[in-house]
Amino acid sequence: MSDTEYMLLAIKLAKQGCGWVNPNPMVGAVIVRDGRIIGQGYHQKYGELHAERNALASCTESPQNATLYVTLEPCCHYGKTPPCTEAILKSGIRRVVVGTVDPNPLVAGKGIQILREHGIEVTEGVLREACTKLNEVFFYFIQTKTPFVVMKYAMTMDGKIATHSGQSKWITGETARRRVQEDRHRYSGIMVGIGTILADDPLLTCHLSDSKNPIRIICDSRLRTPLNARVVQTVGDAPTILATCSQDEALARPYRDAGCEVLTLPSRDGSVDLRKLMTALGKKEIDSVLLEGGSTLNWSALQSGVVSKVQAYVAPKLFGGAGAKCPVGGIGVERPEQAFRFASPQITRLGEDVLLESEVLPCSQES
Ligand SMILES: NC(=O)c1ccc[n+]([C@@H]2O[C@H](COP(=O)([O-])OP(=O)(O)OC[C@H]3O[C@@H](n4cnc5c(N)ncnc54)[C@H](OP(=O)(O)O)[C@@H]3O)[C@@H](O)[C@H]2O)c1
C-alpha cells in the first residue's frame, strides 16, 4: 500500500471519533512495519488518549523502525494527556507521515520540528486537503475561539421552509432527515429562534442510537419560551440555553428552576447580539453550532457574520404562497452584487432530495 492509502485508512479511523471528541480534533493513526499494519487507533473521546498513543498501545509487535501515519501533526504540549511526540520518540518509530499541520498555536509545526530534531524522517501534507476538511470545525474553533456555525434548512424547489400557515413537517424525505440527525450528533450545539419554538415546539435532540444530543440554544430576547415547551420539559435529556437580553430575574427564575441556563447578553437592534453569543458559547467550549433557523434568525446570523457554512436541503416539491417563509428573511439585500456569496457547492443526493453544502466566502459577511 502507498502513503496515500495508509493515510486514507487513518482518515477512516479518525471519523469514528465524530461527535465524541469535540472540541478536540478527530485524529486517526496507522503504524506500518515492513509493509504490514501492526497497529492502528483513533482519538475516541474528549479527554482520553490521542490517536498516536492508541495506535502504539494496539501494536502487535515492536514499532521499532516502523512508519506512523497520522492525520494531524502530533501534539508536543501537555494538555489533558502528555505530548504524543514523547511517546513517538520512545517507541523507536523511524518515519512519521503527517496529513496536516496542527493550527493550534501550542503546536503549529513544533511537533514536527521536535520529531525532526530527534532524527525522525517526517513527510508532510499527504492527503492534506482531506485531512483539513475532516477537521474544519477544530481548525476554525482553535483559531477564532467561537463556534463553527452551519446554517441548515430544508426547502421546497420554490424556496419555502414552511407553508403559508407555518407548517413545515415534513419537507424532505427520510434519507435527508437521517443525515440531519447525524449532524445533530456531529456538532456540539443546535440553535433556533423563538419563532421556531412557538411554531413547531421542536425537541432538537438526536434520535439515532449510540449518539449524543447537542446543547440546545434558543435565541429568545424577551424570554417568551413557554415553560411547557419541549426544550424546557426535556432539559434532563439535553442541556438548554436560553440566550436573552432580558434582565428580569423574576422572568428568568422559572427557567433556571426547570434546569435551563439563562444567558443574558447585550442586545443588537433589539435582539440578542449574535456575535456576543458566539463568544459566550466559545467560552463554554461549544466548538460548533447547527443553526436550524428560522427565517428571521438566519438573516440576522448571516448579517452578523457568524455563519461559516450553509446546508440547503432541497425537496422536489412546491408550496407556493407569497406569504410562506423562505430560508432567509429579514430585509434582504437591495442589489444583486450585495449578495452573500458562497464557494461552489458540494452536491449530495439523499433519496429524492438534494443537499447543497457551501462555505460562506469571508468577504460576504460583515467583518
Ligand atoms: N424548513 C426548515 O428547515 C425550517 C427550520 C426552522 C424553522 N422553520 C420554520 O420557520 C418558521 C419560524 O421562523 P421565524 O422567522 O418566524 O422565526 P425564527 O427565526 O425561528 O425566530 C425569530 C425570533 O428569534 C428571536 N431572536 C433572538 N435573537 C435574534 C437575533 N439576533 N436575530 C433574529 N431573531 C432573534 C426574535 O424574537 P425576540 O425578539 O422576541 O427574541 C425573532 O423574532 C416556522 O414556521 C418554522 O416551522 C423551518
Side-chain angles (χ1 to χ4, degrees):
M1 275 166 73
S2 64
D3 280 359
T4 310
E5 286 167 312
Y6 287 125
M7 191 59 81
L8 262 182
L9 177 58
I11 292 174
K12 207 169 152 197
L13 287 164
K15 285 181 179 168
Q16 293 184 55
C18 179
W20 302 114
V21 297
N22 313 48
N24 276 349
M26 289 176 254
V27 187
V30 177
I31 299 174
V32 178
R33 191 173 154 183
D34 301 329
R36 285 170 295 111
I37 295 173
I38 61 164
Q40 47 186 298
Y42 65 97
H43 184 35
Q44 297 181 355
K45 202 160 181 225
Y46 178 70
E48 293 185 1
L49 287 184
H50 290 181
E52 299 90 322
R53 284 180 184 272
N54 279 330
L56 282 168
S58 80
C59 277
T60 49
E61 57 187 85
S62 163
Q64 193 74 33
N65 293 328
T67 298
L68 166 73
Y69 294 87
V70 61
T71 53
L72 186 71
E73 174 184 10
C75 70
C76 55
H77 63 289
Y78 280 87
K80 291 222 179 301
T81 56
C84 288
T85 44
E86 273 183 13
I88 295 168
L89 294 177
K90 229 187 257 171
S91 71
I93 279 175
R94 193 176 46 83
R95 180 175 175 240
V96 176
V97 180
V98 174
T100 175
V101 170
D102 187 342
N104 183 348
L106 293 171
V107 188
K110 291 191 220 66
I112 289 172
Q113 192 187 334
I114 289 170
L115 295 177
R116 286 199 173 123
E117 280 169 4
H118 286 80
I120 291 183
E121 180 192 342
V122 182
T123 306
E124 290 180 60
V126 172
L127 291 181
R128 179 184 281 128
E129 213 175 300
C131 291
T132 306
K133 183 92 189 134
L134 172 74
N135 280 311
E136 60 184 358
V137 164
F138 171 75
F139 280 36
Y140 182 87
F141 183 65
I142 201 80
Q143 292 176 85
T144 64
K145 307 271 182 255
T146 58
F148 183 88
V149 177
V150 179
M151 178 192 287
K152 167 261 155 187
Y153 49 80
M155 67 177 192
T156 57
M157 279 172 69
D158 57 340
K160 306 295 185 189
I161 61 164
T163 64
H164 72 84
S165 65
Q167 293 177 50
S168 60
K169 280 187 183 124
W170 297 107
I171 292 175
T172 48
E174 264 178 36
T175 315
R177 298 211 306 274
R178 188 186 156 88
R179 169 65 198 262
V180 175
Q181 291 295 320
E182 285 166 9
D183 280 343
R184 287 184 177 186
H185 167 71
R186 173 190 305 268
Y187 299 119
S188 302
I190 186 165
M191 185 164 95
V192 298
I194 175 67
T196 298
I197 295 294
L198 296 175
D200 301 342
D201 193 17
L203 252 182
L204 305 176
T205 50
C206 178
H207 311 147
L208 302 176
S209 58
D210 194 26
S211 65
K212 63 141 221 328
N213 284 324
I215 295 170
R216 299 175 291 189
I217 303 136
I218 318 302
C219 293
D220 181 5
S221 319
R222 292 168 281 160
L223 288 181
R224 292 187 288 143
T225 300
L227 280 164
N228 63 358
R230 298 207 290 171
V231 288
V232 178
Q233 293 295 314
T234 59
V235 75
D237 301 332
T240 297
I241 298 174
L242 296 169
T244 186
C245 309
S246 168
Q247 309 264 5
D248 187 339
E249 251 317 298
L251 207 54
R253 197 169 305 120
Y255 298 106
R256 292 206 172 100
D257 290 346
C260 300
E261 178 176 349
V262 179
L263 191 60
T264 305
L265 293 152
S267 74
R268 192 176 174 201
D269 301 329
S271 294
V272 173
D273 184 325
L274 296 180
R275 285 176 172 237
K276 296 267 178 1
L277 172 59
M278 291 307 136
T279 304
L281 297 180
K283 287 193 178 130
K284 293 177 184 295
E285 304 235 296
I286 296 176
D287 64 356
S288 48
V289 169
L290 189 62
L291 169 59
E292 290 209 14
S295 175
T296 310
L297 185 61
N298 282 350
W299 166 255
S300 194
L302 272 174
Q303 253 208 329
S304 315
V306 301
V307 179
S308 295
K309 186 173 178 175
V310 168
Q311 290 182 328
Y313 291 84
V314 185
K317 295 175 185 170
L318 303 176
F319 280 168
K325 284 197 193 301
C326 66
V328 184
I331 186 170
V333 301
E334 191 184 342
R335 296 189 307 275
E337 63 270 25
Q338 294 172 323
F340 294 95
R341 300 190 71 88
F342 297 87
S344 183
Q346 183 180 322
I347 303 167
T348 313
R349 284 188 171 276
L350 297 162
E352 66 269 37
D353 306 311
V354 172
L355 168 61
L356 300 174
E357 289 180 278
S358 194
E359 283 83 33
V360 179
L361 296 177
C363 57
S364 264
Q365 299 187 87
E366 217 179 73
S367 57

